Short mmCIF file of all heavy atoms in Angstrom, two decimals:
data_model
loop_
_atom_site.label_atom_id
_atom_site.label_comp_id
_atom_site.label_asym_id
_atom_site.label_seq_id
_atom_site.Cartn_x
_atom_site.Cartn_y
_atom_site.Cartn_z
N VAL A 1349 26.50 -258.33 -68.59
CA VAL A 1349 25.90 -258.50 -67.27
C VAL A 1349 25.42 -259.95 -67.15
O VAL A 1349 24.59 -260.39 -67.95
CB VAL A 1349 24.73 -257.50 -67.08
CG1 VAL A 1349 24.09 -257.69 -65.72
CG2 VAL A 1349 25.22 -256.07 -67.26
N ASP A 1350 25.96 -260.69 -66.17
CA ASP A 1350 25.63 -262.10 -65.96
C ASP A 1350 24.28 -262.28 -65.27
O ASP A 1350 23.56 -263.23 -65.53
CB ASP A 1350 26.65 -262.79 -65.04
CG ASP A 1350 28.06 -262.67 -65.51
OD1 ASP A 1350 28.30 -262.82 -66.71
OD2 ASP A 1350 28.93 -262.42 -64.66
N ALA A 1351 24.01 -261.38 -64.33
CA ALA A 1351 22.84 -261.49 -63.47
C ALA A 1351 22.66 -260.15 -62.77
O ALA A 1351 23.51 -259.27 -62.87
CB ALA A 1351 23.06 -262.60 -62.44
N ILE A 1352 21.55 -260.03 -62.06
CA ILE A 1352 21.35 -258.89 -61.19
C ILE A 1352 20.91 -259.40 -59.83
O ILE A 1352 20.37 -260.50 -59.72
CB ILE A 1352 20.32 -257.87 -61.74
CG1 ILE A 1352 18.95 -258.51 -61.91
CG2 ILE A 1352 20.81 -257.24 -63.02
CD1 ILE A 1352 17.86 -257.54 -62.32
N VAL A 1353 21.18 -258.62 -58.81
CA VAL A 1353 20.61 -258.89 -57.49
C VAL A 1353 19.70 -257.73 -57.15
O VAL A 1353 19.98 -256.57 -57.46
CB VAL A 1353 21.69 -259.10 -56.38
CG1 VAL A 1353 22.40 -260.42 -56.55
CG2 VAL A 1353 22.67 -257.96 -56.33
N VAL A 1354 18.59 -258.07 -56.53
CA VAL A 1354 17.65 -257.07 -56.04
C VAL A 1354 17.61 -257.24 -54.53
O VAL A 1354 17.34 -258.34 -54.04
CB VAL A 1354 16.24 -257.28 -56.64
CG1 VAL A 1354 15.28 -256.22 -56.12
CG2 VAL A 1354 16.30 -257.26 -58.16
N SER A 1355 17.91 -256.16 -53.82
CA SER A 1355 17.94 -256.25 -52.36
C SER A 1355 16.92 -255.31 -51.75
O SER A 1355 16.63 -254.24 -52.29
CB SER A 1355 19.34 -255.91 -51.82
OG SER A 1355 19.68 -254.58 -52.15
N ALA A 1356 16.38 -255.74 -50.62
CA ALA A 1356 15.46 -254.92 -49.82
C ALA A 1356 16.11 -254.72 -48.46
O ALA A 1356 16.53 -255.68 -47.81
CB ALA A 1356 14.12 -255.63 -49.67
N ASP A 1357 16.21 -253.46 -48.05
CA ASP A 1357 16.88 -253.11 -46.80
C ASP A 1357 15.89 -252.36 -45.92
O ASP A 1357 15.44 -251.27 -46.27
CB ASP A 1357 18.09 -252.23 -47.11
CG ASP A 1357 18.96 -251.95 -45.91
OD1 ASP A 1357 18.41 -251.67 -44.82
OD2 ASP A 1357 20.20 -251.99 -46.06
N ILE A 1358 15.55 -252.93 -44.77
CA ILE A 1358 14.55 -252.29 -43.90
C ILE A 1358 15.15 -251.16 -43.07
O ILE A 1358 14.40 -250.30 -42.59
CB ILE A 1358 13.81 -253.30 -43.00
CG1 ILE A 1358 14.77 -254.03 -42.07
CG2 ILE A 1358 13.02 -254.28 -43.85
CD1 ILE A 1358 14.07 -254.89 -41.03
N LEU A 1359 16.46 -251.12 -42.89
CA LEU A 1359 17.08 -249.99 -42.18
C LEU A 1359 17.11 -248.75 -43.07
O LEU A 1359 16.77 -247.65 -42.63
CB LEU A 1359 18.49 -250.34 -41.72
CG LEU A 1359 18.61 -251.36 -40.60
CD1 LEU A 1359 20.07 -251.60 -40.26
CD2 LEU A 1359 17.84 -250.92 -39.36
N LYS A 1360 17.53 -248.93 -44.31
CA LYS A 1360 17.57 -247.81 -45.26
C LYS A 1360 16.21 -247.55 -45.89
O LYS A 1360 16.02 -246.53 -46.55
CB LYS A 1360 18.60 -248.10 -46.36
CG LYS A 1360 20.02 -248.07 -45.86
CD LYS A 1360 21.09 -248.46 -46.85
CE LYS A 1360 20.87 -248.29 -48.29
NZ LYS A 1360 21.97 -248.73 -49.15
N LYS A 1361 15.29 -248.49 -45.71
CA LYS A 1361 13.95 -248.42 -46.31
C LYS A 1361 14.05 -248.24 -47.81
O LYS A 1361 13.44 -247.33 -48.40
CB LYS A 1361 13.12 -247.32 -45.67
CG LYS A 1361 12.78 -247.59 -44.22
CD LYS A 1361 11.83 -246.56 -43.68
CE LYS A 1361 11.46 -246.92 -42.24
NZ LYS A 1361 10.48 -246.00 -41.69
N ASP A 1362 14.82 -249.13 -48.46
CA ASP A 1362 14.96 -249.05 -49.90
C ASP A 1362 15.10 -250.42 -50.54
O ASP A 1362 15.27 -251.42 -49.86
CB ASP A 1362 16.13 -248.15 -50.29
CG ASP A 1362 17.50 -248.78 -50.10
OD1 ASP A 1362 17.60 -249.91 -49.56
OD2 ASP A 1362 18.50 -248.15 -50.48
N CYS A 1363 15.00 -250.41 -51.85
CA CYS A 1363 15.29 -251.57 -52.69
C CYS A 1363 16.33 -251.11 -53.70
O CYS A 1363 16.25 -249.99 -54.20
CB CYS A 1363 14.05 -252.05 -53.43
SG CYS A 1363 12.85 -252.86 -52.39
N GLU A 1364 17.30 -251.97 -53.97
CA GLU A 1364 18.35 -251.62 -54.93
C GLU A 1364 18.57 -252.78 -55.89
O GLU A 1364 18.41 -253.94 -55.53
CB GLU A 1364 19.67 -251.32 -54.21
CG GLU A 1364 19.67 -250.05 -53.42
CD GLU A 1364 21.04 -249.74 -52.83
OE1 GLU A 1364 22.04 -250.36 -53.25
OE2 GLU A 1364 21.10 -248.88 -51.95
N VAL A 1365 18.99 -252.42 -57.09
CA VAL A 1365 19.39 -253.39 -58.10
C VAL A 1365 20.89 -253.21 -58.32
O VAL A 1365 21.36 -252.09 -58.47
CB VAL A 1365 18.63 -253.16 -59.43
CG1 VAL A 1365 19.15 -254.08 -60.52
CG2 VAL A 1365 17.14 -253.34 -59.22
N LYS A 1366 21.61 -254.33 -58.30
CA LYS A 1366 23.05 -254.29 -58.52
C LYS A 1366 23.39 -255.28 -59.63
O LYS A 1366 22.83 -256.37 -59.69
CB LYS A 1366 23.80 -254.64 -57.24
CG LYS A 1366 23.52 -253.59 -56.17
CD LYS A 1366 24.09 -253.96 -54.83
CE LYS A 1366 23.78 -252.83 -53.88
NZ LYS A 1366 23.55 -253.17 -52.56
N LEU A 1367 24.31 -254.89 -60.51
CA LEU A 1367 24.69 -255.72 -61.64
C LEU A 1367 25.84 -256.64 -61.27
O LEU A 1367 26.75 -256.24 -60.55
CB LEU A 1367 25.12 -254.84 -62.82
CG LEU A 1367 24.24 -253.66 -63.21
CD1 LEU A 1367 24.79 -252.99 -64.45
CD2 LEU A 1367 22.81 -254.09 -63.41
N LEU A 1368 25.81 -257.87 -61.77
CA LEU A 1368 26.91 -258.81 -61.61
C LEU A 1368 27.60 -258.95 -62.96
O LEU A 1368 26.95 -259.27 -63.96
CB LEU A 1368 26.41 -260.17 -61.12
CG LEU A 1368 26.16 -260.29 -59.61
CD1 LEU A 1368 25.05 -259.39 -59.14
CD2 LEU A 1368 25.87 -261.72 -59.25
N ILE A 1369 28.89 -258.70 -62.97
CA ILE A 1369 29.68 -258.71 -64.20
C ILE A 1369 30.82 -259.71 -64.03
O ILE A 1369 31.59 -259.61 -63.08
CB ILE A 1369 30.27 -257.31 -64.48
CG1 ILE A 1369 29.17 -256.27 -64.53
CG2 ILE A 1369 31.10 -257.33 -65.75
CD1 ILE A 1369 29.68 -254.86 -64.39
N GLY A 1370 30.92 -260.66 -64.93
CA GLY A 1370 32.04 -261.60 -64.90
C GLY A 1370 32.08 -262.47 -63.65
O GLY A 1370 33.16 -262.80 -63.18
N CYS A 1371 30.95 -262.85 -63.14
CA CYS A 1371 30.89 -263.67 -61.92
C CYS A 1371 30.63 -265.13 -62.27
O CYS A 1371 29.67 -265.44 -62.99
CB CYS A 1371 29.79 -263.16 -60.99
SG CYS A 1371 30.09 -261.51 -60.34
N ASN A 1372 31.45 -266.02 -61.73
CA ASN A 1372 31.18 -267.45 -61.89
C ASN A 1372 30.13 -267.86 -60.86
O ASN A 1372 29.71 -267.05 -60.03
CB ASN A 1372 32.47 -268.27 -61.79
CG ASN A 1372 33.15 -268.14 -60.43
OD1 ASN A 1372 32.50 -268.08 -59.39
ND2 ASN A 1372 34.48 -268.12 -60.45
N GLU A 1373 29.69 -269.10 -60.91
CA GLU A 1373 28.61 -269.55 -60.03
C GLU A 1373 28.98 -269.45 -58.55
O GLU A 1373 28.15 -269.08 -57.72
CB GLU A 1373 28.18 -270.98 -60.39
CG GLU A 1373 27.54 -271.09 -61.77
CD GLU A 1373 26.35 -270.16 -61.98
OE1 GLU A 1373 25.46 -270.13 -61.11
OE2 GLU A 1373 26.31 -269.48 -63.01
N ASP A 1374 30.22 -269.76 -58.21
CA ASP A 1374 30.67 -269.66 -56.82
C ASP A 1374 30.63 -268.21 -56.34
O ASP A 1374 30.19 -267.93 -55.22
CB ASP A 1374 32.08 -270.24 -56.68
CG ASP A 1374 32.55 -270.27 -55.24
OD1 ASP A 1374 31.82 -270.84 -54.38
OD2 ASP A 1374 33.63 -269.72 -54.95
N GLU A 1375 31.07 -267.29 -57.18
CA GLU A 1375 31.05 -265.87 -56.82
C GLU A 1375 29.62 -265.37 -56.65
O GLU A 1375 29.33 -264.59 -55.74
CB GLU A 1375 31.80 -265.05 -57.87
CG GLU A 1375 33.30 -265.30 -57.83
CD GLU A 1375 34.04 -264.74 -59.01
OE1 GLU A 1375 33.46 -264.61 -60.11
OE2 GLU A 1375 35.24 -264.42 -58.85
#
Side-chain angles (χ1 to χ4, degrees):
V1349 179
D1350 305 317
I1352 61 174
V1353 288
V1354 180
S1355 63
D1357 187 317
I1358 61 172
L1359 290 180
K1360 290 175 27 181
K1361 293 187 177 183
D1362 76 355
C1363 288
E1364 290 185 14
V1365 174
K1366 297 173 178 147
L1367 313 184
L1368 278 64
I1369 304 163
C1371 295
N1372 62 37
E1373 294 305 311
D1374 185 54
E1375 290 168 333

